[in-house]
Amino acid sequence: MEEEYVKLIFGLKLKQIRTERNLSLFGLSKLAKLSKSYLNEIEKGKKYPKTDKIIILSEKLDIPYDDLVSLKLDKNLAPIGEILQSKILKEIPLELFGIKESNLIDIIANAPDKVNAFITTIIEVAKHYNFNRESFYLSSLRSYQQSNYNYFDDLEQKVVKFCKAYQIDLKSPVSSKELEEVLVEEYGYTINNNDLKKHKELYDLRSVFVPKTKTLLLASDIDEAQRTFIYAKEIGYNYLDFEQRLYTFPWIKFENFDQVLNNFYASYFAGALLLPRAALVNEFSTLIKKDTFDKVAFIKIFSFFAASPETFYQRLTNLLPQDFNIQTLFFLRFTHDVGSKNYYLTKELHLPSQQSPHSNETNEHYCRRWVSLKVLADIDKSKEDHAFDIQISKYPDDDVSYLVFSSATKDPFKKDQYRSISIGLLINKQLKKKMAFLEDPKIDTQIVGNTCERCSIMDCKERVVAPKILEKIKKNKVIDEVVSELTAKFS
């Protein structure tokens, strides 16, 4: 165990025993003939006493020496001991949020009972919602993105620097051919387009990188947009000089948080390379100045840059807050099996904090009026390559409205599955000034909820289940009001 954790556990145990004996720190100092400041340092986990001092403490506190030095904590401190011994604090990316581990340890040392209650609560919530290490890391990453409005100028500048060094024109679409040339000539890659398809177990993977031989195995059925993104991401890993990385796309496992974070950085680099900031800002600025929404022009933007809808929508989450000052938005990705009536939210991002449409972990049914689900139903029915729609979604319970763009395509990673990508922008005075086409009567407006179970729209024809959770809340509210009246009457 880390030395600082051993000190902390000893300090927690000493403080627990001292308080059980109804001794103040001053009292223990007089009893053991050790300075109060020295004992205070021990209890805060900053010092570990030598053997002779431990013997004195064990005698004066009437506790066996072995029990005092044991790393096992009892009673209400046990969960804290488990947390420290599990080294989970070493895995939490505290530095991303400007938190020092030493400060967190001080908090634990100074308020162990309250911290223990908090930790126990977190553990119970994690168990209830099947919260695991993967979920924690991804949640940490999302929080990091949100705290930076998902814009990282250092990565933007590195893309510009890379393009200048390798003579890549940011005003023209980047092809997979020129990126493959960089990987082969500059980074010594070998591109293999044949062997991955020989393993049916790897059907869901688009690429596998073998670091020992620098071999990049690619699925044979990937399109130009996927190939270009994979190449751009591999260049990102190399140009940004990341040793800790993931080796499959999509990833299937990770060893530490650095791999998750670097995967995000490499993906950001790829998005910025394929959809250059200056060019995209110029195209989008032209689009939003029109009085009516131009669907063809919208789709043409990412088609021109040979980017997938997901890469394009993700890129918008980088640039809208930074270059258009549109800072309240959400990004959603849904998947849907062919012929199924079920929809799964597999990825989301909310800036600057959670928006009205969001995931739930209790198997509730997402609102069927969402354009995210509508385009999935459309493409499932039409069997086209791309379904697109735009919608104004009004949430009466929250008194907010969003302008939502949504695209559905075949899932590039799974057979017989579709995915939709959506970005929603909060409609406020600022957005109304930015988006000239917001008053376009052709844009469909829908009254929506989050899930059927919590929806107050009684006449909804798209509803798939009754609003049982909402009904329970209302019932409990009525009961509470009657109990309050009864209490007041007989008081």
Side-chain angles (χ1 to χ4, degrees), residues 12-184:
L12 288 171
K13 180 171 287 190
L14 179 62
K15 186 174 183 178
Q16 181 187 45
I17 296 168
R18 175 178 63 76
T19 53
E20 286 177 350
R21 304 291 193 273
N22 292 316
L23 276 172
S24 66
L25 202 58
F26 179 79
L28 180 59
S29 173
K30 288 184 66 176
L31 184 65
K33 292 183 172 53
L34 298 171
S35 73
K36 179 183 173 182
S37 60
Y38 176 65
L39 292 173
N40 188 43
E41 293 281 282
I42 292 174
E43 289 193 354
K44 286 187 174 181
K46 295 181 178 179
K47 288 186 178 179
Y48 193 90
K50 293 183 179 179
T51 303
D52 60 329
K53 301 294 191 298
I54 298 176
I55 292 174
I56 293 172
L57 289 169
S58 68
E59 290 177 350
K60 300 301 180 183
L61 292 170
D62 192 25
I63 183 171
Y65 178 93
D66 290 343
D67 289 352
L68 189 56
V69 298
S70 169
L71 295 178
K72 184 178 180 180
L73 290 167
D74 58 8
K75 296 183 180 180
N76 60 330
L77 296 181
I80 294 178
E82 292 175 9
I83 291 291
L84 295 175
Q85 293 190 56
S86 70
K87 297 185 180 180
I88 191 172
L89 292 181
K90 293 296 181 185
E91 294 188 10
I92 299 175
L94 298 172
E95 68 282 355
L96 283 181
F97 308 102
I99 300 173
K100 292 183 179 181
E101 186 183 359
S102 58
N103 293 342
L104 194 60
I105 288 176
D106 281 343
I107 293 173
I108 294 175
N110 291 326
D113 293 348
K114 293 179 181 179
V115 172
N116 172 60
F118 174 75
I119 291 173
T120 302
T121 301
I122 294 298
I123 291 172
E124 288 302 312
V125 170
K127 288 178 180 177
H128 183 69
Y129 288 103
N130 194 27
F131 192 78
N132 52 29
R133 183 166 170 257
E134 175 184 318
S135 301
F136 177 80
Y137 279 177
L138 294 179
S139 295
S140 297
L141 177 59
R142 282 196 299 272
S143 297
Y144 177 53
Q145 291 175 257
Q146 290 167 5
S147 65
N148 288 277
Y149 281 93
N150 205 31
Y151 177 82
F152 298 87
D153 193 62
D154 56 332
L155 294 176
E156 300 282 346
Q157 297 305 319
K158 286 178 181 177
V159 168
V160 173
K161 187 177 179 181
F162 166 80
C163 290
K164 184 178 180 180
Y166 290 89
Q167 290 297 289
I168 293 177
D169 185 4
L170 285 173
K171 296 179 182 178
S172 302
V174 179
S175 69
S176 63
K177 184 177 180 180
E178 59 183 321
L179 296 187
E180 181 175 320
E181 187 177 4
V182 173
L183 284 174
V184 173

Side-chain angles (χ1 to χ4, degrees), residues 162 166 182-184 186-189 209 211 214 216 230-245 262 266 269:
F162 166 80
Y166 290 89
V182 173
L183 284 174
V184 173
E186 182 69 16
Y187 297 115
Y189 272 49
F209 178 66
K214 290 191 173 182
L216 182 64
I230 291 170
Y231 285 168
K233 189 173 178 180
E234 288 298 323
I235 288 174
Y237 272 127
N238 285 274
Y239 190 74
L240 298 173
D241 197 25
F242 290 146
E243 292 185 5
Q244 292 287 343
R245 58 159 295 172
N262 291 343
F269 183 96

Side-chain angles (χ1 to χ4, degrees), residues 192-209:
N192 185 315
N193 295 292
N194 301 311
D195 287 343
L196 198 59
K197 65 181 180 182
K198 296 177 182 178
H199 304 274
K200 60 181 182 180
E201 298 87 355
L202 306 182
Y203 178 83
D204 291 340
L205 298 182
R206 301 293 91 187
S207 69
V208 176
F209 178 66

Side-chain angles (χ1 to χ4, degrees), residues 441-459:
K442 293 182 180 179
I443 298 177
D444 185 36
T445 298
Q446 289 284 347
I447 306 298
V448 302
N450 196 52
T451 66
C452 292
E453 286 82 348
R454 300 174 188 271
C455 184
S456 60
I457 306 172
M458 295 296 103
D459 60 344

Side-chain angles (χ1 to χ4, degrees), residues 253-265:
K253 68 174 183 177
F254 54 81
E255 303 298 331
N256 52 59
F257 183 75
D258 282 344
Q259 290 181 342
V260 177
L261 183 61
N262 291 343
N263 177 70
F264 165 70
Y265 284 149

